[in-house]
């Protein structure tokens, strides 16, 4: 049994308000936010044995919640369930800005290899996102993954539209380079 102990009996008292506020600011729907937080707690209960103690309980729960939010947006914005992440992954040709959906397997036609590839891509994206400066990561996630409107991002982060586009360009360039090294 691992030395790292977590106490799910305390999660609601300690983390539910924080997780809910975090979620509702990203999905703008209180009922969906409650569902996503509940799904997060359920997923955490199911994967408690995998908790290594490398992060705090709250950080671990947030990482699960982030994946739930991303899955939520993928589900409602998907094209036949395919993940759509727009970024420049080959900036020196006419394919700049192509959709990566052709590189992600259709979850409704999964093979073991497709499942591994989707998991690897998700892990690579999250790892590359973690390497970005905080503001770039936040803008990239809001614009590219969560599909927030430009105006909403600018209002929330108190930045101008031109500043947003500079930040998103830098983030996409960094993400493309990171993914090129770590996944493609």
């Amino acid at each position: 049994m691992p030395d790292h102990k977590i106490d799910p009996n305390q999660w609601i008292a300690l983390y539910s308000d924080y997780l809910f506020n975090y979620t509702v600011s990203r999905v703008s729907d209180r009922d969906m936010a409650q569902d996503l937080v509940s799904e997060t707690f359920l997923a955490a209960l199911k994967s408690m044995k995998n908790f290594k103690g490398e992060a705090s309980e709250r950080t671990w729960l947030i990482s699960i919640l982030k994946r739930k939010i991303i899955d939520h947006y993928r589900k409602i914005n998907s094209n036949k369930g395919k993940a759509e992440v727009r970024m420049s992954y080959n900036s020196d040709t006419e394919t700049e800005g192509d959709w990566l959906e052709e590189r992600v397997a259709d979850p409704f036609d999964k093979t073991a290899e497709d499942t591994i590839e989707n998991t690897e891509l998700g892990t690579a994206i999250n790892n590359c996102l973690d390497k970005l400066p905080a503001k770039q990561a936040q803008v990239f996630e809001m614009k590219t993954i969560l599909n927030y409107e430009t105006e909403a991002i600018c209002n929330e982060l108190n930045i101008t539209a031109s500043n947003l586009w500079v930040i998103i360009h830098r983030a996409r360039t960094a993400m493309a380079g990171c993914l090129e090294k770590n996944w493609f």
Side-chain angles (χ1 to χ4, degrees), residues 132-158:
L132 291 178
K135 187 153 224 157
Q136 282 185 17
Q138 186 177 20
V139 169
F140 180 87
E141 184 176 11
M142 292 172 79
K143 185 68 178 166
T144 308
I145 297 174
L146 301 175
N147 295 319
Y148 279 29
E149 295 294 324
T150 299
E151 185 177 353
I153 297 169
C154 290
N155 289 339
E156 185 170 329
L157 301 178
N158 196 26

Side-chain angles (χ1 to χ4, degrees), residues 94-158:
E94 64 213 36
T95 60
E96 182 170 346
D98 280 357
W99 292 94
L100 290 179
E101 78 178 23
E102 70 272 6
R103 294 178 179 233
V104 179
D106 184 345
F108 296 107
D109 184 26
K110 285 193 181 251
T111 64
E113 185 176 315
D114 293 337
T115 301
I116 290 169
E117 190 170 302
N118 276 342
T119 302
E120 288 174 353
L121 174 59
T123 300
I125 288 172
N126 285 326
N127 288 341
C128 289
L129 202 54
D130 289 341
K131 293 176 183 175
L132 291 178
K135 187 153 224 157
Q136 282 185 17
Q138 186 177 20
V139 169
F140 180 87
E141 184 176 11
M142 292 172 79
K143 185 68 178 166
T144 308
I145 297 174
L146 301 175
N147 295 319
Y148 279 29
E149 295 294 324
T150 299
E151 185 177 353
I153 297 169
C154 290
N155 289 339
E156 185 170 329
L157 301 178
N158 196 26

Side-chain angles (χ1 to χ4, degrees), residues 18 107 168:
Y18 179 81
I168 198 68

